Amino acid sequence: MKQDLSDFRKSYDKFALSESDLPENPLELFREWFNAAVESPLVDEANAMSVSTYGLDGFPKTRIVLLKKYTHEGFIFFTNYESEKGKAIENHRKICLSFFWPGLERQIIIKGEAEKLAENLSDGYFESRPVLSQISSVISPQSEVVPSRDFLENKQNEMEISLKGSPPDRPQYWGGYLVRPVSFEFWQGRPNRLHDRFRFSLNADYDWVRERLAP
């Protein structure tokens, strides 16, 4: 059955973004928009972001992960280093992060290079997680084919019993990535599809160059 989506329409008219709103450092605008998303009742999981990688099979792939921290150095998330995502990053460190908050009619696209987080920082975050989440990270051969959900639940139950309430150690194949940004693009929905788009690009002197883009 065919479905025609050509009549789907939405008017974007909640906010605007002008040159006078732009700081010198794009992280300041990211922080402002992120905090607004956190505080907005229209946004669930403000820290949900897409991570796009260039896969070993030659195809790009995008999936949703959770941002766990951001600093002046970049953006941090955690995953299994042996997953499809981890192998893709190991092979090609240039990746893309995207945040889309439809309730605020805003999107941020960040290009950057990913590097493994220091082991002590991965240890610290792993230890802060609930024990069952720790166990899931240990027993899950992420991205690999498994026979059934029972297979995973049985492995989880077996480890839970063997640990007797103690937390597991962080496995070496699980940890964090720090994404150092080289480009930010801020998109603010506007009426009649004349959206506001601004790009910040890091130059050779480590200054940010600001440019307005056509919508």
Side-chain angles (χ1 to χ4, degrees):
M1 182 176 67
K2 295 176 65 176
Q3 183 179 11
D4 185 358
L5 308 180
S6 60
D7 288 334
F8 281 28
R9 292 285 186 274
K10 174 178 170 57
S11 177
Y12 300 98
D13 51 18
K14 291 183 178 178
F15 302 101
L17 183 63
S18 66
E19 285 82 353
S20 62
D21 298 322
L22 303 180
E24 292 295 323
N25 190 320
L27 191 62
E28 295 178 22
L29 184 54
F30 174 87
R31 181 182 295 110
E32 177 186 331
W33 278 22
F34 184 80
N35 288 341
V38 169
E39 295 169 3
S40 174
L42 301 175
V43 177
D44 292 328
E45 289 194 303
N47 62 326
M49 64 181 184
S50 67
V51 176
S52 298
T53 58
Y54 185 73
L56 301 183
D57 59 1
F59 285 88
K61 185 172 182 178
T62 301
R63 74 288 285 165
I64 303 299
V65 303
L66 297 179
L67 176 70
K68 288 302 179 180
K69 189 175 184 179
Y70 65 95
T71 71
H72 68 281
E73 291 185 289
F75 300 83
I76 294 172
F77 67 94
F78 294 85
T79 191
N80 186 315
Y81 291 142
E82 296 179 357
S83 65
E84 183 179 5
K85 177 187 334 94
K87 292 175 181 176
I89 294 173
E90 184 69 21
N91 184 63
H92 191 86
R93 291 175 50 203
K94 293 180 179 179
I95 69 173
C96 184
L97 310 178
S98 297
F99 296 83
F100 180 46
W101 301 304
L104 301 177
E105 301 170 355
R106 287 173 173 171
Q107 178 178 219
I108 303 175
I109 300 173
I110 301 164
K111 295 178 183 178
E113 295 200 14
E115 61 188 54
K116 287 183 178 178
L117 201 61
E119 290 197 2
N120 65 309
L121 298 179
S122 289
D123 287 337
Y125 175 69
F126 187 82
E127 291 166 4
S128 74
R129 306 179 80 205
V131 171
L132 287 180
S133 295
Q134 294 175 341
I135 292 174
S136 293
S137 298
V138 173
I139 61 93
S140 174
Q142 190 174 344
S143 302
E144 295 183 14
V145 176
V146 293
S148 65
R149 182 171 181 84
D150 287 343
F151 169 82
L152 296 172
E153 291 182 346
N154 289 339
K155 289 185 68 174
Q156 185 182 53
N157 292 336
E158 289 169 4
M159 175 164 278
E160 189 177 2
I161 291 170
S162 68
L163 289 171
K164 299 178 180 178
S166 299
D169 294 329
R170 178 184 67 86
Q172 290 298 302
Y173 53 78
W174 191 96
Y177 283 106
L178 169 66
V179 180
R180 298 184 183 274
V182 298
S183 173
F184 287 77
E185 183 181 320
F186 296 87
W187 178 94
Q188 177 65 66
R190 297 298 305 278
N192 305 313
R193 299 302 186 264
L194 285 178
H195 310 304
D196 290 324
R197 289 177 63 192
F198 288 95
R199 180 174 61 203
F200 288 73
S201 302
L202 193 62
N203 66 19
D205 295 324
Y206 295 98
D207 293 323
W208 291 99
V209 177
R210 297 175 296 177
E211 301 167 299
R212 178 183 277 273
L213 303 179

